[in-house]
Structure formats: C-alpha cells, structure tokens
Amino acid sequence: MTNPKTMRIGMILDNEYLVDARVPNEARYLAQHGHEIYVLCINFDNRPHLETVEGVNIVRFDMSRGRKNRLFGIVNTFPLYNWIWAVEIKRFIINYKIETLHAHDLYMAKPVFLTNLQLRLPITLDLHENYPAAVKGYTWANTFPWKILVRPGRWKKKEHRYLSYADNIVVLSEAFRQTLCNEYPNLVTKKFAIYPNVPDVDWFLSLPVDRSISEHKTGFVLFYFGVIGIRRGMVSCFEALKQLIPNIPEIRLMLMGPVDKADQPLFNQYLNDPSIKEHIIYHPWKDVKELPSYIMASDICLAPFINSPQHDSGIANKVFQYMLFERPVLLSNSKPHQMLVDETHCGSIFKDTDVNDLTNTVLKMYHDPEMCRKMGLNGKKAVIEKYNLETAGKELDKLYR
C-alpha cells in the first residue's frame, strides 16, 4: 500500500518565525509527518535569509519592525502592505515550487488571495484568534489618530470575504467553528480543522529546570506570562493584590512579558504604587526555554482576560503550559476557560473584572494547598493525554492528505 500523499506546504507569516509557538509547533509536526514545509516570514533581526530549523525551511525577507507596524496599521486605508506581501509570496511560490498555501491569521488572506488569482493553489487560513474582536480591544488602535487610520471596525466587515478565500480553515476550538458557521452559513461547505494552542510536550519536558529559582523564591506567588495590558485583565490583578496583601502578607504577583505600549502609563502607575510595588516582580521578558523554571516557582498561574468574542474563540498557549508543569490555573470565566476547568478540574474560575471574586478565589486556593496540588496533577494529566501537539496535529495532517 502506498502512503497517502504528502505536500510541499508554503506557510505565510507576517512576523519572525519563533514569535508565536503555534507556528513552529504546526510546522515541525507537519515536517515530522512527511510534508515539506517552507515558511515565508519577515526578517527583523538580521537572520539568515534561508535556513533549516528542525526540518522546517525558513525563508525571510527584510523589513524593519517599525515599517511593518506602520504599513500594517494603515492597511485598511492604504494597502501597500498587501502589495508588498503579494510580490514576496509569488516569488516564494515560484522559487520553492510550493503546492499549497497556509496563511497565518485572518489578515494574511488578502495578499495570499491576490497572489493566487492566477496560480490557483489551495489555501488554508489559520485563525490564531478572532481578529476583528481582538483589534477592537487594542487600546492603541482605538485612540486618536490611529483609530482614523487603522479603522478597526473594517476588519469585521472584511471577515466574511477573507474567510471565503480559503479552501480550509483552522480554528482554535469547536465553539469558534460553530460561531463562524452560524454567522456565515456558506462556510459549512469548507473543510475545518480544530487546532488549539497546545504545547509540544516532549520539547517542553526536555527543557532544563533551574531549581535555584524555586529555592530562592519568597512568598506565595501568582504568576502571569504573556502580553500585559488592560484587555488581558491586569487591572483586576493589581486591584486584587491590594486586597490580598493584608490577608497574605507574603504574596507576590510575578509578571513576565511586554506591556502594550498604549497601556504603559497605567502599568507604570501600578508598578510604582507604594501600597503594592514591593509585592510585584516584573520581568519584561525571558526566553521561553526558561518558562518551566518560573512556572514551577509559582503557586497559582493566571489567565485573567476580560471576556470578549476574542477570548471566547479559544485558549491561550500559556494555560496549557501552566498545566503541563502541574500548577493550578486561575482563569476568567470565558466559555473555553469554563469548559476546560469543568472537563479537567485543573483550576478555578472567577468572574472577569470582578476584583472581589478574584480576591476570594485566590484566598480559597491559598487556604487549600491539597486542592491546588490535585488541580495541578489533573492539569498535567489532561495535557499529556489530550491537549498536546501530537494529538491536535493529526487534524492538520488530515487537511493535507
């Protein structure tokens, strides 16, 4: 019996290759299962224009981060960004004899479509999030003068047309697929794959753990990893910290990640607030290879996002990463979070933006370490058995066979 057909897949990514774990995870999985993977991405940091990383061929073209941000920011007003990408994608397809295209994020559907008008290659559109909902939550995109140039409301108007360009659509959850099909009934004829933001278990467990971080930690640590901003629920965390300090004097809020530029002034106010600043540990960033060490040095791991259609589309990478390293999670009550906790008993839920509920839930977990230990074990079990790259990747492989 012959093996099912494998493909030469061209992934299109408007970022550096390793910025979002979802992309290398998918690329590596498909490469390991026989497909030839080429990724066209931007070269921000003077890296090689062509290199092979873990069996994946990375093709880069130069563009500064500032120029990319400016051109993408005004793409709804002046679409030069799409035209630049269309030229690069056509060259990429011809040079590497690409057989099918895999575009990451809704907004890359347009330049792929422009390139593909004559070539007629199959297109897979990989939705990392509910982008029209996400951009409405970005502070910078909704303040003057960017609001006039970005036109965030236009993304919702474009969503249906961009989705129609694709033959296959990859989404974060079954709930997100149902939402899209209910809103746009013609999408039921498309092929969908459900691919959550799951970790590569073998890779993460192979990383060395710096035990000295745990040994030198002080107090009861709440840990958050990722982009920091109002939409991520950080205000609730700071306000809850004020209420928690009298009850848990040794409490620490450890944050790791970049701050949304538009939210930086508010973040600085909290960081310098005399009532809480001694209880905050802030790392602007750490290499993801250090993440297990910091997760294991924490007591509770947070995903306190403000509820929105964006956060109802799926679960962030960080949640499954927390779970893999046996830490109880404390999550806001989005639909996917609630479903995950109900299914796996990996943590607790609080009502988003409700500071009192967040405070009371932390206190309950603090006073029941045995419950937290069991939550951590349940979470790891769920990731090992279900929420991992090897299991979720099978859906992607099916699309291309």
Side-chain angles (χ1 to χ4, degrees):
M1 180 183 294
T2 59
N3 289 328
K5 179 175 172 59
T6 57
M7 301 288 288
R8 182 173 285 215
I9 302 168
M11 289 190 169
I12 311 299
L13 173 67
D14 81 325
N15 215 320
E16 259 291 6
Y17 176 59
L18 295 175
V19 168
D20 185 342
R22 181 180 180 89
V23 178
N25 281 354
E26 291 181 357
R28 189 167 57 247
Y29 179 90
L30 290 169
Q32 289 170 351
H33 287 76
H35 302 282
E36 284 188 76
I37 308 299
Y38 291 80
V39 180
L40 177 65
C41 61
I42 301 177
N43 192 5
F44 292 138
D45 302 316
N46 197 32
R47 300 184 63 108
H49 288 98
L50 177 62
E51 68 173 333
T52 301
V53 179
E54 299 177 301
V56 176
N57 303 292
I58 316 300
V59 181
R60 299 182 175 93
F61 69 94
D62 295 330
M63 183 183 293
S64 72
R65 197 179 302 272
R67 185 176 186 228
K68 180 257 181 180
N69 290 340
R70 288 190 296 273
L71 290 177
F72 177 68
I74 64 172
V75 73
N76 283 336
T77 303
F78 183 59
L80 175 61
Y81 190 66
N82 288 339
W83 301 338
I84 291 172
W85 265 104
V87 171
E88 295 293 341
I89 293 168
K90 184 174 183 179
R91 182 182 297 123
F92 172 67
I93 291 170
I94 294 170
N95 287 348
Y96 300 100
K97 298 180 174 59
I98 301 301
E99 297 176 315
T100 184
L101 293 164
H102 186 122
H104 285 278
D105 276 311
L106 177 73
Y107 43 80
M108 295 310 292
K110 185 64 174 183
V112 167
F113 172 76
L114 291 173
T115 309
N116 205 40
L117 283 170
Q118 294 180 326
L119 299 172
R120 302 288 184 180
L121 300 182
I123 297 173
T124 295
L125 182 56
D126 194 330
L127 303 180
H128 292 204
E129 60 186 346
N130 183 333
Y131 187 73
V135 74
K136 288 179 71 175
Y138 295 157
T139 304
W140 68 270
N142 291 277
T143 54
F144 184 83
W146 281 106
K147 185 175 182 178
I148 297 173
L149 295 170
V150 174
R151 302 182 182 183
R154 281 203 172 185
W155 286 110
K156 187 62 183 175
K157 295 177 181 178
K158 290 182 173 184
E159 182 179 49
H160 186 205
R161 184 166 77 254
Y162 283 20
L163 291 171
S164 71
Y165 296 156
D167 301 284
N168 311 314
I169 301 172
V170 182
V171 290
L172 294 166
S173 65
E174 173 59 24
F176 191 19
R177 186 196 72 81
Q178 290 177 359
T179 296
L180 291 174
C181 290
N182 289 340
E183 193 163 358
Y184 310 119
N186 68 310
L187 294 184
V188 297
T189 62
K190 304 284 185 180
K191 284 181 65 177
F192 279 84
I194 312 299
Y195 181 85
N197 284 319
V198 291
D200 182 337
V201 169
D202 291 340
W203 185 82
F204 264 103
L205 293 182
S206 72
L207 297 176
V209 174
D210 184 351
R211 301 287 177 182
S212 67
I213 295 174
S214 296
E215 292 168 0
H216 291 96
K217 85 160 187 172
T218 57
F220 186 80
V221 177
L222 308 179
F223 178 56
Y224 172 84
F225 168 74
V227 175
I228 296 168
I230 293 173
R231 62 196 167 91
R232 300 298 183 107
M234 288 295 102
V235 171
S236 297
C237 293
F238 289 128
E239 292 297 331
L241 185 61
K242 295 177 182 179
Q243 297 184 15
L244 287 164
I245 290 170
N247 297 285
I248 313 175
E250 73 276 20
I251 195 165
R252 300 288 184 271
L253 175 61
M254 182 163 63
L255 306 173
M256 182 183 295
V259 181
D260 277 348
K261 187 175 181 180
D263 297 332
Q264 187 75 56
L266 180 61
F267 177 75
N268 289 341
Q269 286 181 30
Y270 280 111
L271 209 60
N272 296 303
D273 185 329
S275 68
I276 59 175
K277 68 178 184 179
E278 299 302 323
H279 296 263
I280 299 172
I281 303 166
Y282 176 53
H283 301 287
W285 198 249
K286 296 283 185 181
D287 191 290
V288 71
K289 293 179 181 178
E290 298 180 66
L291 182 58
S293 301
Y294 285 91
I295 294 175
M296 296 183 72
S298 65
D299 295 284
I300 297 173
C301 292
L302 304 171
F305 309 144
I306 294 176
N307 287 351
S308 69
Q310 177 199 7
H311 294 133
D312 276 342
S313 64
I315 296 171
N317 290 297
K318 63 177 67 61
V319 175
F320 297 118
Q321 293 161 357
Y322 297 156
M323 292 165 62
L324 178 59
F325 291 97
E326 295 185 28
R327 288 302 174 264
V329 295
L330 178 50
L331 314 175
S332 58
N333 61 331
S334 69
K335 292 176 184 176
H337 284 171
Q338 187 70 63
M339 291 173 65
L340 180 70
V341 169
D342 288 347
E343 176 196 349
T344 67
H345 307 289
C346 62
S348 297
I349 296 288
F350 76 96
K351 188 177 186 306
D352 76 308
T353 74
D354 188 329
V355 174
N356 290 331
D357 193 28
L358 175 54
T359 300
N360 292 333
T361 307
V362 171
L363 287 171
K364 181 180 178 182
M365 296 175 76
Y366 172 76
H367 289 297
D368 197 340
E370 179 58 20
M371 176 185 71
C372 288
R373 186 187 71 83
K374 290 179 180 178
M375 288 174 171
L377 292 172
N378 291 338
K380 182 171 184 176
K381 182 174 184 288
V383 174
I384 295 295
E385 294 181 354
K386 180 179 180 180
Y387 294 105
N388 58 72
L389 175 61
E390 195 58 38
T391 300
K394 293 175 183 176
E395 289 295 304
L396 294 178
D397 192 32
K398 287 179 185 177
L399 285 183
Y400 291 112
R401 292 184 187 275

